[in-house]
Amino acid sequence: VLFRSFPGNAAMDGAGAYSGSLSHCTLVSGVANDVAGGAIYCTLNDSVLTGNTGLNYCGAAYGSTLTRCTVSNNYGYLAGGVYECTLSDCTLSGNQAAEGGAADNSALTNCVLFANTATFGSAGGAINSTLVNCKLIGNVSASSGGGACQSILNNCTLSANTAYYGGGADDSAFNDCVLSNNTATAGFPSAAVSSRASPQRPAPASGGGASWSTLTHCTLAVNQADGEGGGAYASTLDQCTLTGNSAYEGGGAAYCESLVNCTLTNNTAAYGGGAIYCTVNNCTLTGNQGYYGGGSCDGILNNCTLTGNSARYGGGIEGGTLNVCLLTDNSAVDGGGALYGMLNNCTLTGNSATSYGGGAHSVNNLNNCIIYYNTAPEGPNYYQGEISGVLNYCCTTPLPDNGVGNIDNDPSLMDPKGGDFHLLKNSPCINSGNNAYITNLTDLDGNPRIRGGTVDIGAYEFPWPTSVISYAWLQQYDLSTGGSDDYADTDGDGMDNWKEWRTGTIPTDASSVLKMTAVATDVSGITITWQSVSGITYF
């Protein structure tokens, strides 16, 4: 039986068709007082469902299977297009619902969702659905998830979608997807977002690409947010690329929970051109721009590379904590590499400031760091500024007033002009750090953090140390770094050079030795006097 069309039908359920099989049919202008104006429990092939209305559920189809169908300009309360359906190679366009403009609780494969709208709730395109190899383009939600919400998307493309939260999608899981040119905008009436606004969602118009989502192997490009998180907001990203995204407030690429193995390039925001308030692991941040924190603002970064970022304050980072990171070629007016924050086992080189602190400005603590070859009119390598920061076991020049264990030797990097910041085999930074400041088990290459018993200064661990003593200490006394002098008693005072290094005595002066000099006994007990070195605790 061939059904050509059902114009102007009205029913309780399935005004066009109920529990049938339709091929090359058109279902138009059907009205259902409850479920679906078009079809319910049907199989449809190469058919058109347009202009249908379902007052309580969906406009076009409910509980049906659609193949190579066109679903357009339908209206429903829960889904403008389809509800609890399976679709393959279909096009859904111009559908409208309070939420779920195109689809709700459905499975879509090789489909196109174009210009669908959620007028009050979430998901201009699809909600509570699974989408594979689909394209979601130009969908709009007045609340959250312009393209999708509470959905799983695999190998999908989301482009030019718009919402208040999550221009591309909200509260969804993405795998191998591309999110581009989506927008989170405040240009909706405030009442329209009341269903998603809450103390857990305080930021307005956030997540240009995605919000409150999980993304793996995805690309987020040229998305925009009026508020926070141009690329992603409050999301977890793994092995993703974020490029050209922008946010008016914070996190040009991301304002999120975590970034792992991601690349952030050429993103912009007022605070954190690359990322803000993020935990960032094994990522590369390049060419990002912000007023505060070109690369990152107030984040925790582990084993990351920041290069070519720029800002008014803090070209590489502003605030936060960096562990085992490389900062190079970043620029700012103040704090070319870093402004404020804390840095452990980092390398800052080739950064510049036009005013203060080429490498670092007013950083609270720099531990086991190389800060060398940076430029600025005031404090080329570091400027302590209003925060009297402490440098411990750092390689920099000049030697700082605050802190201990610092050296001003040239760090002897492999090829800094060519971008290779590994240590040469004679670097004074080898074995010259302090193990108490180790935060990560690996260096920037992923190699074990300690080789030779003591951590190296900087982001890279030299893999083949020949001595277990600080190379800077050995070089200071013209002793061999090849290991032959480690356990030799150079000055004949009864202590070998390793013990002299550990106790802070001079290996070439027999009178500089840790020893007991006197024992006195009186009624109160025994007093033992030692010859030692000021500022060192012995036990």
Side-chain angles (χ1 to χ4, degrees):
V1 178
L2 173 64
F3 296 90
R4 177 174 175 79
S5 64
F6 305 90
N9 293 316
M12 188 68 179
D13 298 329
Y18 186 99
S19 189
S21 180
L22 295 83
S23 296
H24 300 281
C25 294
T26 299
L27 286 75
V28 59
S29 301
V31 178
N33 292 326
D34 189 13
V35 180
I40 182 170
Y41 303 132
C42 289
T43 298
L44 299 98
N45 299 299
D46 303 292
S47 296
V48 175
L49 297 86
T50 184
N52 301 287
T53 300
L55 297 181
N56 286 333
Y57 276 83
C58 56
Y62 177 91
S64 300
T65 300
L66 294 82
T67 304
R68 297 180 302 278
C69 293
T70 298
V71 182
S72 65
N73 301 311
N74 302 283
Y75 173 79
Y77 180 74
L78 292 181
V82 299
Y83 189 93
E84 289 189 359
C85 290
T86 300
L87 296 87
S88 300
D89 302 291
C90 295
T91 299
L92 299 87
S93 65
N95 301 287
Q96 187 176 107
E99 68 176 23
D104 192 345
N105 276 283
S106 296
L108 300 91
T109 303
N110 299 321
C111 293
V112 176
L113 291 75
F114 174 73
N116 303 283
T117 303
T119 58
F120 181 84
S122 304
I127 189 170
N128 299 319
S129 297
T130 300
L131 298 92
V132 179
N133 297 321
C134 293
K135 296 181 179 179
L136 296 84
I137 305 169
N139 302 286
V140 177
S141 167
S143 177
S144 57
C149 184
Q150 297 174 350
S151 296
I152 299 172
L153 299 93
N154 298 308
N155 298 297
C156 293
T157 300
L158 296 87
S159 179
N161 302 286
T162 304
Y164 190 82
Y165 289 111
D170 174 70
D171 197 11
S172 296
F174 298 85
N175 298 287
D176 301 292
C177 294
V178 176
L179 297 84
S180 65
N181 295 286
N182 302 287
T183 303
T185 178
F188 296 104
S190 59
V193 301
S194 61
S195 64
R196 299 295 284 183
S198 70
Q200 289 73 41
R201 291 172 174 264
S206 298
S211 61
W212 301 89
S213 296
T214 301
L215 300 95
T216 305
H217 294 112
C218 293
T219 298
L220 294 83
V222 203
N223 301 288
Q224 180 179 348
D226 289 353
E228 314 274 13
Y233 176 79
S235 298
T236 299
L237 295 89
D238 186 2
Q239 302 176 71
C240 294
T241 299
L242 300 91
T243 181
N245 304 286
S246 62
Y248 182 77
E249 294 182 15
Y255 182 123
C256 64
E257 295 180 7
S258 70
L259 297 159
V260 180
N261 298 315
C262 294
T263 300
L264 290 71
T265 307
N266 298 325
N267 304 284
T268 59
Y271 297 86
I276 186 171
Y277 302 134
C278 292
T279 298
V280 186
N281 297 315
N282 304 307
C283 293
T284 300
L285 297 84
T286 305
N288 303 288
Q289 298 182 26
Y291 192 78
Y292 291 95
S296 173
C297 186
D298 291 327
I300 299 174
L301 284 72
N302 297 299
N303 296 76
C304 293
T305 298
L306 298 91
T307 179
N309 303 286
S310 61
R312 173 65 176 83
Y313 300 102
I317 63 107
E318 192 268 340
T321 301
L322 274 68
N323 302 310
V324 194
C325 293
L326 171 67
L327 295 87
T328 180
D329 294 326
N330 303 288
S331 61
V333 175
D334 293 321
L339 178 72
Y340 307 141
M342 175 184 292
L343 289 80
N344 301 302
N345 270 112
C346 295
T347 297
L348 297 84
T349 184
N351 304 288
S352 63
T354 58
S355 186
Y356 294 90
H361 184 301
S362 299
V363 173
N364 294 308
N365 291 93
L366 289 153
N367 303 312
N368 294 346
C369 292
I370 295 173
I371 315 110
Y372 230 91
Y373 309 127
N374 303 285
T375 59
E378 296 289 339
N381 287 310
Y382 64 91
Y383 181 81
Q384 292 176 297
E386 65 267 27
I387 296 178
S388 186
V390 177
L391 285 75
N392 295 310
Y393 294 88
C394 290
C395 177
T396 190
T397 185
L399 288 173
D401 297 329
N402 294 338
V404 296
N406 300 296
I407 60 174
D408 60 1
N409 313 51
D410 187 299
S412 297
L413 304 178
M414 189 73 70
D415 182 14
K417 291 184 178 179
D420 189 343
F421 305 100
H422 293 83
L423 303 177
L424 290 170
K425 65 180 181 179
N426 64 339
S427 171
C429 297
I430 298 172
N431 295 341
S432 296
N434 188 324
N435 292 352
Y437 297 118
I438 294 175
T439 57
N440 297 35
L441 297 178
T442 61
D443 71 357
L444 194 54
D445 285 334
N447 296 320
R449 182 66 264 192
I450 297 180
R451 294 290 182 94
T454 305
V455 66
D456 296 348
I457 296 175
Y460 297 100
E461 193 80 3
F462 186 73
W464 310 286
T466 50
S467 171
V468 296
I469 298 175
S470 162
Y471 279 30
W473 187 88
L474 290 166
Q475 291 166 355
Q476 177 183 355
Y477 299 108
D478 294 323
L479 298 174
S480 171
T481 59
S484 60
D485 287 337
D486 284 10
Y487 303 106
D489 185 0
T490 304
D491 55 8
D493 60 4
M495 293 182 64
D496 62 37
N497 292 325
W498 182 86
K499 293 177 181 177
E500 300 258 19
W501 169 55
R502 297 301 297 167
T503 58
T505 56
I506 300 172
T508 56
D509 181 357
S511 65
S512 176
V513 63
L514 177 67
K515 65 179 182 180
M516 187 169 61
T517 58
V519 177
T521 303
D522 56 30
V523 293
S524 63
I526 298 175
T527 301
I528 301 175
T529 303
W530 290 79
Q531 175 178 299
S532 59
V533 177
S534 176
I536 294 181
T537 300
Y538 302 91
F539 60 91

